Amino acid sequence: LISIEDKVKFDDKEDLLQQKEGHSDVSWPARIRSTFKGADAEEATRPKRRFMKAFKDTLLYQVVNLISEASRLGMHVISFDCVTTVLHLMGFNPFGVFDSNINLAGVFSSLVYSGWIVNRTKSFKRYLLEHAFGVNEEADWGKMELVDNLGNGLLYATWGVYILNTLEIQTGIAVKSLFSLGATGTLVFSLASKDIASQIMSGLTLHLSDKIYQGDSIELEDGTSGIVEDLGWMQTLIKGGNDMVTALPNTAITNQRIYNLSRTPRSQVKQELRVSYTEAANIPNFLAAIKEEIKKSCPKLVTDGSSPFRAHWTDYGEKYLMIVVNAHFYIKPTGNEYWDNRQQVLEAILRAATKTEVHLEKACKPATAPRTN
């Protein structure tokens, strides 16, 4: 199926091809346009975009879709009831289920309809969250994903309790009987579920602590860094700069420091330089030139005194004089803007060295201090 606009464009191309090949037949858009004159001909054959709204985006479609899904589920429930009835009449009685008072059709319908209600509730919840938080800002998107995950956990927990109650009422299987595994079985189950419960609690802690959101750029104490691709209940996926995704258990994240670079409004560029002893007389001019070049090249430099902006001769080395340049900027310490600004600082230092004729030794190295402020 194609839209009216696509049909018109397609037939326009056909008309041109037919004219080139010498055919006299023309398609219906050409015959329609032949009855109009002037600029109104184009408007007559091309509906305006505001009238091309898809039917699936309308409220009527949503209502009809819900009725259709409920009807299909009803047909599945009826089919299941018919199949169980036929099997019972044929004498097929696995595990003696037909000899008991278990209402299989009732259990099946309860599970199916409750699962469908949970799924539709999730979709409606997502719709409300998207309109409440918006999807334009990264922070708002992360908050929405956080609330969405918490809502899903609550829905699934409620559904699980409902299923257990349904099984107890419809089949007579009490919840406590499901865990009556004996001493050995209970011990094995407890040991196996210990790590799972720990991971879930750590995931809940991460969700409620508001430390990180999906889409945040973070650095962990163990050196792992990247963008949070998914913040789950059991594990968190972090995408590194090499596009490799690392899956970390939530317990491994909650037990160490987290640097959230996306929430840091400022960044730091700190560079250690080495200069020969023969250049000692030029160092004051060199330091002044560094500050001047950085101010010219970096408009987002912090100069109000709230963060340090320094270029100082700091120490006597064994073979070289030590200089440290430390500057802060109103730029988040992540993304292309940060790295472009860092490059501008390095270029400014090089221009200052060229202007003052100071030779930088090859052993200059970046400082190991974190780039967050």
Side-chain angles (χ1 to χ4, degrees), residues 274-276 279 353 357-362:
R274 290 184 178 185
V275 178
S276 174
E279 307 282 355
E357 298 181 352
V358 172
H359 176 69
L360 297 177
E361 298 298 331
K362 295 181 180 180

Side-chain angles (χ1 to χ4, degrees), residues 319-341:
K319 296 181 179 181
Y320 308 103
L321 301 175
M322 311 304 297
I323 294 176
V324 173
V325 179
N326 186 13
H328 293 76
F329 304 88
Y330 293 107
I331 297 174
K332 291 184 177 182
T334 181
N336 291 333
E337 186 180 10
Y338 167 78
W339 292 106
D340 291 342
N341 181 74

